[in-house]
Amino acid sequence: MRKKIVAGNWKMNTSLEEGKALAADVLAKTTGSEEAQIVLGVPATHITAVVETLGGKNGIGVAAQNCSDKVSGAYTGEISASMVKSTGANYVILGHSERREYFSESNEELAEKVNQALANDLIPIFCCGEPLEVREAGDMYPFVKEQLTESLFHLSAEDFSKIVIAYEPIWAIGTGKTATSEQAQEMHAELRAHLASKYGQEAADNCSILYGGSAKPANAPELFACPDVDGGLIGGASLKAEDFVAVVTSF
Ligand code: PGA
């Protein structure tokens, strides 16, 4: 059966010292017996230090927030999936809406990033989600399904089995406006049915689909109670260990 996962997305926050302290605080506040797999999505500059700070304890995973679609070479400033892997990370967040919007990442480019991540033994946390105008027009299901089709459906069944999906409605990210648990459940069920249409029901049932967008201790229990919501991708609330751990233990 699918795993429950709660991943923090620190985004472009924390100095190295602050990042190490935050990771140490999360470690101190957890026991390793939590129902959910915990993942910290940290700035690339902090990965090695956070991996060292965690020391493999409590099964806490570490994610990069991006990787290149290229293998290596003259791409100044880029970080390849093999470099990320060599730092000790085991996950990579791909296709976050901020990357799609501010760095023009397309579904096609993300398909390449997914390939690079998998080729380097990193688990992609693949983000999808619709902007407000698409939701208001009622077109959110086909819009988000297309993101999955174009970036994931080239994968073999074996590779697909390694993917984690995060549904993040763009209008809920950092806005304090959360999707209702009904909206989250409906979308997650639609996405799971879409995955089943390609990979079969069992593979779809085994895929963890996380919710992201202003998830916090106050709303996580209701969101995580939805049958198709398998955890969360947590931005703002992951920057305070107390709040993040409260979300982690909201199942
Ligand atoms: P938020 O961010 O929890 O601050 O809304 C979530 C995300 O962007 O992953």
Side-chain angles (χ1 to χ4, degrees):
M1 208 43 195
R2 56 187 178 261
K3 248 191 195 172
K4 295 186 192 312
I5 301 172
V6 176
N9 178 8
W10 295 2
K11 308 193 181 186
M12 198 170 72
N13 293 297
T14 71
S15 67
L16 180 59
E17 288 311 312
E18 289 164 347
K20 286 198 284 190
L22 179 52
D25 208 4
V26 171
L27 186 59
K29 288 181 163 60
T30 50
T31 62
S33 60
E34 287 76 21
E35 219 181 309
Q37 160 78 56
I38 303 170
V39 179
L40 304 183
V42 310
T45 46
H46 301 11
I47 296 173
T48 307
V50 167
V51 168
E52 274 171 19
T53 300
L54 295 171
K57 295 191 203 93
N58 295 356
I60 302 177
V62 178
Q65 300 173 11
N66 181 31
C67 73
S68 174
D69 59 328
K70 308 288 195 302
V71 176
S72 65
Y75 302 101
T76 303
E78 286 293 276
I79 298 174
S80 71
S82 68
M83 292 172 184
V84 169
K85 182 68 187 179
S86 72
T87 61
N90 35 20
Y91 291 79
V92 58
I93 298 168
L94 291 176
H96 190 281
S97 64
E98 288 149 16
R99 298 225 44 99
R100 292 175 186 265
E101 187 180 346
Y102 307 139
F103 303 94
S104 308
E105 291 189 357
S106 64
N107 291 343
E108 295 70 32
E109 183 183 352
L110 288 168
E112 288 303 321
K113 292 191 178 204
V114 167
N115 292 342
Q116 285 303 315
L118 291 171
N120 289 283
D121 207 17
L122 291 168
I123 299 170
I125 300 177
F126 181 81
C127 303
C128 55
E130 80 286 358
L132 184 61
E133 57 278 15
V134 170
R135 168 130 323 235
E136 284 177 347
D139 295 332
M140 59 279 186
Y141 300 135
F143 182 93
V144 182
K145 286 177 188 176
E146 187 173 287
Q147 292 179 323
L148 301 189
T149 304
E150 293 189 354
S151 299
L152 300 179
F153 278 17
H154 63 286
L155 296 175
S156 67
E158 196 197 331
D159 276 345
F160 172 73
S161 71
K162 298 167 190 155
I163 300 286
V164 174
I165 290 173
Y167 167 61
E168 300 203 303
I170 297 173
W171 44 273
I173 296 177
T175 57
K177 196 172 178 224
T178 327
T180 63
S181 50
E182 289 77 23
Q183 286 171 322
Q185 169 55 28
E186 269 167 28
M187 177 61 85
H188 284 223
E190 285 279 338
L191 296 183
R192 202 177 302 285
H194 188 52
L195 299 175
S197 74
K198 170 73 180 172
Y199 291 103
Q201 194 61 49
E202 195 183 339
D205 283 341
N206 284 332
C207 180
S208 301
I209 307 180
L210 318 183
Y211 169 80
S214 299
K216 49 184 178 282
N219 56 28
E222 196 184 328
L223 287 161
F224 293 175
C226 299
D228 285 291
V229 177
D230 307 312
L233 181 55
I234 315 300
S238 72
L239 292 171
K240 229 178 115 195
E242 195 182 341
D243 289 349
F244 182 62
V245 173
V247 172
V248 166
T249 52
S250 287
F251 289 95

